[in-house]
Amino acid sequence: RSLAALSSSSYGYFGGGYFFAPPGTISDTVYRIDFSNETTSAPGNNLTQARSSLAAVSSSSYGYFGGGFFLSPPNTYYDTIDRIDFSNETTSPVTATLPQARSSLAALSSSSYGYFGGGQVPPNGSQVVDTIDRIDFSNETTSLFGNVLSQDRSRLAAVSSSSYGYFGGGLNNSEATVRVDRIDFSNETKTTPGNEQILA
């Protein structure tokens, strides 16, 4: 559970996560599903850090796993980003990091940028944020996106079309929310469409 996933044109990649046996085991493994025949395998190039509750985005050439949490030492939150090269499936750390370490965040991508939104932050995860971080696929720099979510929230989800990205649901501190926030990729404005009934 609490893993992240991204895809290239040929494969899907699942990274990190939490295992119940042995108790409290957090993984650094990356698993692959081949879209041509739906077989799964472990390519062998894993994340540089074991982590759960991370998020992931992808460009046409690379996939990026960012943020997350580790149990030992206690309450370790990551701002680091690992990159998988789709051409050879090697993984490596990206020099740039998220502006803030956090877990239980969500991520989506346009053709040019990846956006990491919401999440829980140190020291103990009780604080939830509304911030959105952006990674520029052209130079792998990260920055704090100028617009924030309409609510502080964690454990949310995200999807994207060619024109828009949507962050939906999650926990606003201890209360569930049905709020949907939309990013317009053409001008990077953020709005709240108000079409939330389906999540209620």
Side-chain angles (χ1 to χ4, degrees):
R1 71 176 193 182
S2 301
L3 67 167
L6 54 87
S7 58
S8 70
S9 58
S10 301
Y11 302 100
Y13 300 89
F14 301 86
Y18 180 91
F19 289 92
F20 288 99
T25 300
I26 291 181
S27 174
D28 63 356
T29 305
V30 175
Y31 294 100
R32 184 185 75 179
I33 182 169
D34 188 327
F35 294 149
S36 68
N37 56 19
E38 296 185 336
T39 57
T40 56
S41 60
N45 297 307
N46 296 327
L47 302 177
T48 59
Q49 296 167 310
R51 57 177 97 182
S52 69
S53 303
L54 64 165
V57 296
S58 56
S59 69
S60 58
S61 302
Y62 303 100
Y64 301 88
F65 292 94
F69 174 83
F70 193 70
L71 294 174
S72 180
N75 299 326
T76 301
Y77 291 79
Y78 291 125
D79 59 4
T80 53
I81 300 171
D82 288 340
R83 185 185 77 179
I84 181 168
D85 186 329
F86 294 147
S87 68
N88 56 19
E89 296 188 328
T90 57
T91 55
S92 59
V94 173
T95 301
T97 60
L98 299 177
Q100 187 176 33
R102 50 186 161 151
S103 70
S104 300
L105 65 168
L108 56 87
S109 56
S110 69
S111 58
S112 301
Y113 303 100
Y115 303 86
F116 295 84
Q120 299 171 325
V121 298
N124 57 15
S126 60
Q127 181 182 352
V128 178
V129 296
D130 61 2
T131 51
I132 302 172
D133 299 333
R134 188 184 76 175
I135 181 169
D136 186 328
F137 293 146
S138 67
N139 55 19
E140 295 186 336
T141 58
T142 56
S143 59
L144 189 64
F145 187 55
N147 296 297
V148 298
L149 301 174
S150 56
Q151 291 176 308
D152 297 336
R153 56 179 128 163
S154 65
R155 302 183 187 181
L156 64 167
V159 294
S160 57
S161 69
S162 59
S163 300
Y164 301 100
Y166 302 87
F167 290 98
L171 288 177
N172 175 231
N173 294 312
S174 60
E175 295 185 1
T177 178
V178 297
R179 190 71 58 86
V180 177
D181 291 320
R182 186 185 74 182
I183 295 176
D184 186 329
F185 294 146
S186 67
N187 56 19
E188 291 195 321
T189 56
K190 200 278 304 176
T191 57
T192 303
N195 299 314
E196 301 160 359
Q197 296 88 344
I198 194 170
L199 295 180

